[in-house]
Amino acid sequence: MSTPTLVDFDDVVERFDPMLGLEVHVELNTQTKMFCGCPTEFGAEPNTQVCPTCLGLPGSLPVVNRTAVESAMRIGLALNCSIAPWGRFARKNYFYPDMPKNFQTSQYDEPIAVNGWLDVQLDDGSVFRVEIERAHMEEDTGKSLHVGGATGRIHGAEYSLLDYNRAGVPLIEIVTKMIPGTRERAPEVARAYVTALRDLIKALGVSDVRMDQGSMRCDVNLSLSPRDSGILGTRSETKNVNSLRSVERAVRYEMSRHAGVLDAGEKVVQETRHFQEDTASTRSGRIKETSEDYRYFPEPDLVPIAPSQEWVQELRGTLPELPWERRARLQSDWSLSDEELRDLVNAGALDLIEATVAAGAPADDARSWWVAYLTQQANTQGVPLEELAITPVQLARVIALVASGELNNKLARQAVDGVLAGEGEPDEVVAARGLAVVSDEGELIAAVDAALAAQPDVAEKIRGGKVQAAGAIVGAVMKATGGKADAKRVRELIVQRCGA
């Protein structure tokens, strides 16, 4: 098939309705794998976290991870799903090198959670309801590393390496129903949904949802229907999209690509595709299998999951405050505008500010530090804000030292720099660097008198009533004390010494 010309997005939504569905895979943060006792730590040396069970060796038998089941049910409850009173695991049969058993233990027609919904807020404040078809449990695959070639994919590679550490890590796959009525907002709805889902799962504490590390991945299913016809088109599935921005871009690109194929008089191929970050485009992967191709059958080595109503209600009681409810509360408590709240969320600062306030800092001070100075430091270091080497408790201590007059703002920044550099706790940095504000009144008066004597014309202006001229003397005193004076107290002393 020839490469289609991409159709302008506005033209696409004028003539077609996008039919959108999203499948999100979430790795759970359990200590051990889904069906064995191997650890799940990310980044370990390849093939050091494996055993006969997750390698699929003869004679090995799986055992279900109870914590993973509980996490799956909590996710289902948070998504307003019904928890099934009876569910079974199945074998999904397919061969791929990173599947050591040649089948994946998953759930097929009897998932743990069904028929839910999630309301997501778009940029203009409007709310869009996304209905959830199911959330089911399964295990992750291993990881293939294709060496050589230009794309990092198997095509053109010289050889491949396999790491089975990830094989068997607990996964929850959350599948939406078809999302109707999105039209030109389909890319935005997709991004908003994955964002809301990420925030929800993070609040539940069942996954770190690090898309950059693969612990949360999104598959974008999309087809086009002639406008208002209700006729379903052939879908494509863009696999393992690993950032919020890329989810939005993948939807937009596939809409334009599908329209180009149809306009050329060709048929859309039902296939999996890969998103190309550098070009914001997708590339063909393989023809998409149907459920029949996987030859599902019940897993003979695992008993069904049959959670009691008492267990379900117990887990329901562990659900935290939902992220959007929490944001509304904080917005009210901190008197934030919608724009200010959105900026804090987008900066990844909301949790950090709340924790700093919980450690005793005023909300305004905590917000100012995280969104200004510390955001600058994070950008300079090229790390997310939450990965800076300073905790909310440490920052709250610095803020307290400023409030008590032991540090001024300039010295406080130096104290924070010391903490970031690994020099210890704030009080240790202050002591080691000699950052404490000069509090000896006699020393301050001497510095003020010296500055006045050095600038007699300025001193005369102050004596004549031009108090605003005191700024030059304040600057001189601050320089003389290495920035360790309290500027407010210095100004008071200048006015007193000049009799103004």
Side-chain angles (χ1 to χ4, degrees):
M1 185 175 70
S2 60
T3 302
T5 301
L6 297 180
V7 176
D8 180 78
F9 186 78
D10 291 338
D11 186 21
V12 176
V13 297
E14 182 70 25
R15 296 187 290 119
F16 297 96
D17 291 325
M19 299 297 174
L20 176 66
L22 300 167
E23 302 173 11
V24 176
H25 295 79
V26 177
E27 279 188 359
L28 301 179
N29 58 5
T30 54
Q31 295 298 307
T32 57
K33 293 185 180 181
M34 188 72 206
F35 302 114
C36 67
C38 291
T40 58
E41 179 185 356
F42 179 81
E45 286 295 312
N47 298 310
T48 58
Q49 300 181 164
V50 294
C51 73
T53 299
C54 56
L55 288 176
L57 299 184
S60 59
L61 292 173
V63 177
V64 174
N65 185 324
R66 179 187 174 93
T67 301
V69 175
E70 290 184 337
S71 295
M73 288 196 286
R74 293 180 72 229
I75 290 173
L77 291 168
L79 289 171
N80 304 291
C81 290
S82 299
I83 303 302
W86 175 275
R88 285 192 297 182
F89 286 99
R91 291 189 180 184
K92 181 181 181 181
N93 296 275
Y94 65 96
F95 171 79
Y96 207 70
D98 60 15
M99 278 296 300
K101 299 185 296 187
N102 289 340
F103 65 86
Q104 181 185 34
T105 305
S106 180
Q107 289 187 306
Y108 175 45
D109 54 351
E110 297 174 288
I112 189 72
V114 294
N115 295 328
W117 49 267
L118 181 62
D119 285 338
V120 301
Q121 185 171 348
L122 306 185
D123 289 342
D124 63 359
S126 60
V127 176
F128 204 99
R129 174 160 292 188
V130 176
E131 295 189 351
I132 308 297
E133 179 178 310
R134 68 181 187 274
H136 66 260
M137 298 180 286
E138 60 186 24
E139 59 181 338
D140 210 343
T141 62
K143 184 175 181 180
S144 300
L145 176 65
H146 305 297
V147 181
T151 65
R153 304 284 182 185
I154 192 169
H155 302 293
E158 297 176 12
Y159 58 92
S160 298
L161 300 174
L162 295 171
D163 178 8
Y164 290 121
N165 281 349
R166 197 176 67 182
V169 169
L171 272 185
I172 302 300
E173 181 175 354
I174 302 161
V175 182
T176 71
K177 297 181 181 180
M178 188 180 298
I179 309 172
T182 57
R183 297 204 164 170
E184 73 278 359
R185 307 196 76 172
E188 182 187 358
V189 169
R191 176 173 182 156
Y193 166 74
V194 178
T195 301
L197 187 60
R198 181 197 61 177
D199 292 346
L200 176 62
I201 291 173
K202 186 175 182 181
L204 290 171
V206 298
S207 173
D208 62 11
V209 288
R210 287 284 300 269
M211 297 188 78
D212 59 316
Q213 293 183 357
S215 58
M216 182 174 181
R217 313 187 290 274
C218 179
D219 297 345
V220 174
N221 292 276
L222 186 121
S223 66
L224 292 184
S225 171
R227 189 70 179 264
D228 297 325
S229 71
I231 300 172
L232 294 181
T234 302
R235 69 182 175 94
S236 62
E237 181 179 9
T238 304
K239 300 286 289 183
N240 296 330
V241 185
N242 63 2
S243 77
L244 299 174
R245 178 169 178 255
S246 294
V247 168
E248 183 172 8
R249 296 164 85 197
V251 172
R252 178 178 287 267
Y253 179 85
E254 281 297 279
M255 288 174 65
S256 295
R257 186 186 69 84
H258 278 230
V261 172
L262 296 173
D263 283 355
E266 298 174 342
K267 293 183 178 180
V268 174
V269 176
Q270 183 168 313
E271 63 180 346
T272 61
R273 298 183 67 85
H274 301 291
F275 185 73
Q276 308 294 110
E277 294 282 350
D278 54 344
T279 60
S281 62
T282 65
R283 183 176 58 80
S284 179
R286 56 182 169 82
I287 300 300
K288 177 63 178 174
E289 292 90 347
T290 64
S291 59
E292 289 79 10
D293 295 321
Y294 291 121
R295 295 178 291 113
Y296 282 99
F297 65 85
E299 168 58 68
D301 293 332
L302 291 170
V303 298
I305 302 293
S308 66
Q309 280 302 306
E310 291 76 16
W311 192 14
V312 172
Q313 292 309 313
E314 178 186 339
L315 292 174
R316 191 186 298 277
T318 69
L319 298 183
E321 181 181 27
L322 298 178
W324 34 94
E325 294 173 349
R326 171 172 161 261
R327 285 196 288 265
R329 172 177 58 79
L330 294 178
Q331 182 177 12
S332 176
D333 291 348
W334 299 347
S335 301
L336 300 175
S337 68
D338 290 345
E339 183 178 6
E340 288 171 330
L341 177 65
R342 185 168 60 248
D343 289 344
L344 295 184
V345 172
N346 291 340
L350 197 65
D351 291 350
L352 297 166
I353 295 169
E354 185 180 26
T356 306
V357 172
D364 286 346
D365 291 339
R367 178 177 150 208
S368 176
W369 272 99
W370 283 112
V371 301
Y373 189 71
L374 288 171
T375 293
Q376 293 173 4
Q377 301 308 303
N379 291 338
T380 298
Q381 295 182 27
V383 299
L385 193 59
E386 67 270 15
E387 292 186 11
L388 280 178
I390 186 168
T391 67
V393 171
Q394 290 171 326
L395 179 60
R397 176 56 183 160
V398 172
I399 293 171
L401 291 172
V402 174
S404 69
E406 296 174 66
L407 293 177
N408 57 31
N409 289 332
K410 179 179 178 181
L411 296 175
R413 285 192 290 272
Q414 294 181 46
V416 167
D417 289 343
V419 175
L420 291 173
E423 297 173 15
E425 294 297 314
D427 290 281
E428 295 171 338
V429 173
V430 169
R433 291 193 176 195
L435 298 179
V437 166
V438 175
S439 57
D440 186 299
E441 196 82 350
E443 186 177 345
L444 285 179
I445 291 173
V448 168
D449 289 345
L452 289 170
Q455 300 185 62
D457 53 336
V458 177
E460 193 59 35
K461 289 179 181 179
I462 299 171
R463 294 188 184 98
K466 295 183 178 180
V467 179
Q468 64 269 27
I473 305 301
V474 172
V477 173
M478 296 301 291
K479 182 176 181 181
T481 60
K484 297 179 182 179
D486 181 337
K488 181 179 178 181
R489 181 55 184 156
V490 169
R491 181 177 289 275
E492 291 172 351
L493 289 174
I494 292 169
V495 173
Q496 290 177 12
R497 304 299 282 179
C498 291

